[in-house]
Amino acid sequence: MDLNAEVDSLVKASQAWIPMIMEYGSRVLLAVITLAIGWWLINKLTQKLGGLLALRNADLALQGFISSLANIILKVLLIVSVASMIGVETTSFVAAIGAAGLAIGLALQGSLANFAGGVLILLFRPFRIGDWIEAQGTAGTVDSIQIFHTILRTGDNKTVIVPNGVLSNGIITNTNRQPTRKVVFDVGVDYEADLQKAREVLLELAKDSRIMTEPAPQAVISTLGDSSITVSLRVWVKTADYWDVMFLFNEQSRNRLKTAGIEIPFPQRVVRMVQDAAVK
């Protein structure tokens, strides 16, 4: 009798558990299949997104950032959906994620500001990799644009890491954004000098293949200083030729002006001594 009773209890227990196992087993199986297919589709979708951005000639850093961000967001949504399929209460799950995000956000305010700055830089692209920029008291070539910071290489080959938060909110001077630049070369000449000849000498310097003919070079009298008259040579060049042309002017202007008999004075002060009347 005891054996029969135990068998009966096992049969009744199996009758109660089997439907439950079948029900939850089917949910789990469907959730696993959904997770696997969704994961694969998300990877394919983000790859297509990266390819679309590449076709539109988007910046490499922007391509990687948008693709990875879309991948993470879609996978989080997929996991939440799969959790709801197996009976997990997603409301509390989402609330927990929100609370954790708020706590992390408060703890990482500076990093989030840099992250937001990186997003703005990658979206609006005030500069690109390879540009020479001046910002936050430093200047250099942009080596890379990261999510939290931008790496610059100075003229003497130093590496400067600038946080994106302050970089995106400050003034940025990009010297490579435009294809041409204006070279303004100022030189002081003596007050007794022939200004017309000085202008002609400087315009002779502008006869170089790297200097554009349109707009035409100009030599003008810009200022009347304390000890000299400033003659300004203004020409347009390609951005890549700016410093070479400026160095050329610095190198040749002195000798050519001196050959033409035009002196470049140094600052001087005239002192007059007034004697008192002879002592009686």
Side-chain angles (χ1 to χ4, degrees), residues 7 41 46 50 55 59 67 87 104 106 115 118 122-123 141 152 189 203 240-241 252 266 269 275:
V7 171
L41 287 175
T46 51
L55 289 175
D59 190 85
S67 298
I104 293 172
L106 292 174
F115 174 80
L122 290 171
L123 287 177
T141 302
L152 304 180
V189 300
L203 287 174
D241 295 330
Q252 296 187 2
F266 52 86
R269 187 180 300 274
Q275 295 181 348

Short mmCIF file of all heavy atoms in Angstrom, two decimals, residues 7 41 46 50 55 59 67 87 104 106 115 118 122-123 141 152 189 203 240-241 252 266 269 275:
data_model
loop_
_atom_site.label_atom_id
_atom_site.label_comp_id
_atom_site.label_asym_id
_atom_site.label_seq_id
_atom_site.Cartn_x
_atom_site.Cartn_y
_atom_site.Cartn_z
N VAL A 7 3.81 5.88 -5.57
CA VAL A 7 3.70 5.96 -7.02
C VAL A 7 2.61 6.94 -7.41
O VAL A 7 2.77 7.75 -8.33
CB VAL A 7 3.44 4.56 -7.61
CG1 VAL A 7 3.10 4.68 -9.09
CG2 VAL A 7 4.64 3.66 -7.42
N LEU A 41 21.10 39.72 -36.07
CA LEU A 41 20.54 40.80 -36.89
C LEU A 41 21.13 42.16 -36.49
O LEU A 41 21.39 43.00 -37.36
CB LEU A 41 19.02 40.83 -36.76
CG LEU A 41 18.25 39.71 -37.47
CD1 LEU A 41 16.77 39.79 -37.15
CD2 LEU A 41 18.47 39.78 -38.98
N THR A 46 24.31 46.94 -37.69
CA THR A 46 25.33 47.94 -37.37
C THR A 46 26.46 47.93 -38.41
O THR A 46 27.06 48.97 -38.69
CB THR A 46 25.89 47.70 -35.96
OG1 THR A 46 26.29 46.32 -35.82
CG2 THR A 46 24.85 48.02 -34.91
N GLY A 50 27.58 51.16 -40.59
CA GLY A 50 28.95 51.62 -40.79
C GLY A 50 29.29 51.77 -42.27
O GLY A 50 29.94 52.73 -42.68
N LEU A 55 30.05 55.28 -47.13
CA LEU A 55 29.67 55.74 -48.46
C LEU A 55 29.41 57.24 -48.48
O LEU A 55 29.62 57.90 -49.51
CB LEU A 55 28.41 55.00 -48.94
CG LEU A 55 28.59 53.52 -49.30
CD1 LEU A 55 27.25 52.89 -49.64
CD2 LEU A 55 29.56 53.37 -50.48
N ASP A 59 33.51 60.87 -41.19
CA ASP A 59 34.78 60.71 -40.52
C ASP A 59 34.91 59.31 -39.94
O ASP A 59 33.94 58.73 -39.45
CB ASP A 59 34.91 61.76 -39.41
CG ASP A 59 36.31 61.81 -38.84
OD1 ASP A 59 37.16 62.49 -39.42
OD2 ASP A 59 36.53 61.15 -37.81
N SER A 67 28.33 53.44 -34.94
CA SER A 67 28.08 52.01 -35.08
C SER A 67 28.09 51.32 -33.72
O SER A 67 27.20 50.51 -33.40
CB SER A 67 29.12 51.38 -36.01
OG SER A 67 29.03 51.93 -37.30
N GLY A 87 9.11 36.01 -18.50
CA GLY A 87 8.33 36.34 -17.32
C GLY A 87 8.99 37.28 -16.35
O GLY A 87 8.44 37.52 -15.27
N ILE A 104 25.54 56.46 -11.57
CA ILE A 104 26.79 56.53 -12.33
C ILE A 104 26.98 57.92 -12.93
O ILE A 104 28.08 58.47 -12.95
CB ILE A 104 26.79 55.46 -13.44
CG1 ILE A 104 26.82 54.06 -12.82
CG2 ILE A 104 27.97 55.64 -14.38
CD1 ILE A 104 26.65 52.95 -13.82
N LEU A 106 25.90 60.82 -11.73
CA LEU A 106 26.31 61.75 -10.69
C LEU A 106 27.76 61.57 -10.32
O LEU A 106 28.47 62.53 -10.00
CB LEU A 106 25.41 61.59 -9.46
CG LEU A 106 23.95 62.02 -9.63
CD1 LEU A 106 23.15 61.67 -8.38
CD2 LEU A 106 23.85 63.50 -9.94
N PHE A 115 32.21 63.16 -22.55
CA PHE A 115 31.54 62.28 -23.51
C PHE A 115 30.61 63.09 -24.41
O PHE A 115 30.61 62.92 -25.64
CB PHE A 115 30.74 61.21 -22.75
CG PHE A 115 29.89 60.34 -23.64
CD1 PHE A 115 30.44 59.29 -24.35
CD2 PHE A 115 28.53 60.58 -23.77
CE1 PHE A 115 29.67 58.49 -25.17
CE2 PHE A 115 27.74 59.79 -24.59
CZ PHE A 115 28.32 58.74 -25.29
N GLY A 118 32.61 64.99 -26.83
CA GLY A 118 33.09 64.14 -27.91
C GLY A 118 32.01 63.88 -28.95
O GLY A 118 32.28 63.85 -30.16
N LEU A 122 32.28 64.96 -32.86
CA LEU A 122 32.17 63.97 -33.92
C LEU A 122 30.99 64.26 -34.85
O LEU A 122 31.05 63.94 -36.04
CB LEU A 122 32.02 62.58 -33.31
CG LEU A 122 33.28 62.02 -32.62
CD1 LEU A 122 32.96 60.74 -31.86
CD2 LEU A 122 34.38 61.77 -33.64
N LEU A 123 29.94 64.87 -34.30
CA LEU A 123 28.78 65.18 -35.14
C LEU A 123 28.99 66.42 -35.99
O LEU A 123 28.71 66.43 -37.19
CB LEU A 123 27.53 65.34 -34.26
CG LEU A 123 26.95 64.06 -33.65
CD1 LEU A 123 25.78 64.39 -32.75
CD2 LEU A 123 26.49 63.10 -34.75
N THR A 141 48.71 69.53 -34.25
CA THR A 141 48.01 68.74 -35.26
C THR A 141 47.14 67.69 -34.56
O THR A 141 47.58 67.04 -33.61
CB THR A 141 49.02 68.02 -36.18
OG1 THR A 141 49.85 69.01 -36.80
CG2 THR A 141 48.30 67.23 -37.26
N LEU A 152 46.45 65.93 -29.45
CA LEU A 152 47.15 66.85 -30.35
C LEU A 152 48.65 66.55 -30.34
O LEU A 152 49.19 66.11 -29.31
CB LEU A 152 46.92 68.31 -29.94
CG LEU A 152 45.48 68.80 -29.82
CD1 LEU A 152 45.48 70.28 -29.42
CD2 LEU A 152 44.73 68.61 -31.12
N VAL A 189 60.47 100.45 -41.76
CA VAL A 189 61.52 101.16 -42.49
C VAL A 189 61.69 102.56 -41.89
O VAL A 189 60.82 103.06 -41.17
CB VAL A 189 61.17 101.28 -44.00
CG1 VAL A 189 61.02 99.89 -44.61
CG2 VAL A 189 59.90 102.09 -44.21
N LEU A 203 57.10 93.93 -53.09
CA LEU A 203 56.31 93.28 -54.15
C LEU A 203 57.17 92.35 -55.00
O LEU A 203 56.68 91.36 -55.55
CB LEU A 203 55.62 94.33 -55.02
CG LEU A 203 54.43 95.05 -54.38
CD1 LEU A 203 53.93 96.17 -55.28
CD2 LEU A 203 53.30 94.05 -54.10
N ALA A 240 48.97 74.96 -47.13
CA ALA A 240 50.17 74.15 -46.89
C ALA A 240 51.46 74.95 -47.10
O ALA A 240 52.52 74.58 -46.56
CB ALA A 240 50.16 72.93 -47.80
N ASP A 241 51.40 76.07 -47.86
CA ASP A 241 52.60 76.87 -48.16
C ASP A 241 52.76 78.07 -47.24
O ASP A 241 53.71 78.85 -47.42
CB ASP A 241 52.54 77.38 -49.61
CG ASP A 241 52.60 76.24 -50.62
OD1 ASP A 241 53.22 75.21 -50.32
OD2 ASP A 241 52.00 76.39 -51.71
N GLN A 252 64.64 86.98 -46.86
CA GLN A 252 65.11 87.80 -47.98
C GLN A 252 64.82 89.29 -47.85
O GLN A 252 65.45 90.10 -48.53
CB GLN A 252 64.50 87.28 -49.29
CG GLN A 252 64.93 85.86 -49.64
CD GLN A 252 64.44 85.46 -51.02
OE1 GLN A 252 63.81 86.23 -51.74
NE2 GLN A 252 64.73 84.22 -51.40
N PHE A 266 66.14 100.39 -35.69
CA PHE A 266 65.83 99.80 -34.40
C PHE A 266 65.26 100.89 -33.50
O PHE A 266 65.50 102.07 -33.74
CB PHE A 266 67.09 99.17 -33.78
CG PHE A 266 68.26 100.08 -33.72
CD1 PHE A 266 68.43 100.95 -32.64
CD2 PHE A 266 69.21 100.11 -34.74
CE1 PHE A 266 69.51 101.81 -32.57
CE2 PHE A 266 70.29 100.97 -34.69
CZ PHE A 266 70.45 101.82 -33.60
N ARG A 269 65.62 106.37 -28.80
CA ARG A 269 65.00 107.47 -28.07
C ARG A 269 65.93 108.69 -28.10
O ARG A 269 67.14 108.55 -27.87
CB ARG A 269 64.74 107.05 -26.62
CG ARG A 269 63.93 108.06 -25.80
CD ARG A 269 63.75 107.55 -24.39
NE ARG A 269 63.05 106.28 -24.39
CZ ARG A 269 61.73 106.14 -24.41
NH1 ARG A 269 60.97 107.23 -24.44
NH2 ARG A 269 61.19 104.95 -24.39
N GLN A 275 69.79 122.96 -19.94
CA GLN A 275 70.54 123.50 -18.84
C GLN A 275 69.85 124.72 -18.24
O GLN A 275 69.27 125.53 -18.98
CB GLN A 275 71.96 123.89 -19.29
CG GLN A 275 72.80 122.69 -19.74
CD GLN A 275 74.19 123.13 -20.14
OE1 GLN A 275 74.46 124.33 -20.30
NE2 GLN A 275 75.08 122.18 -20.28
#
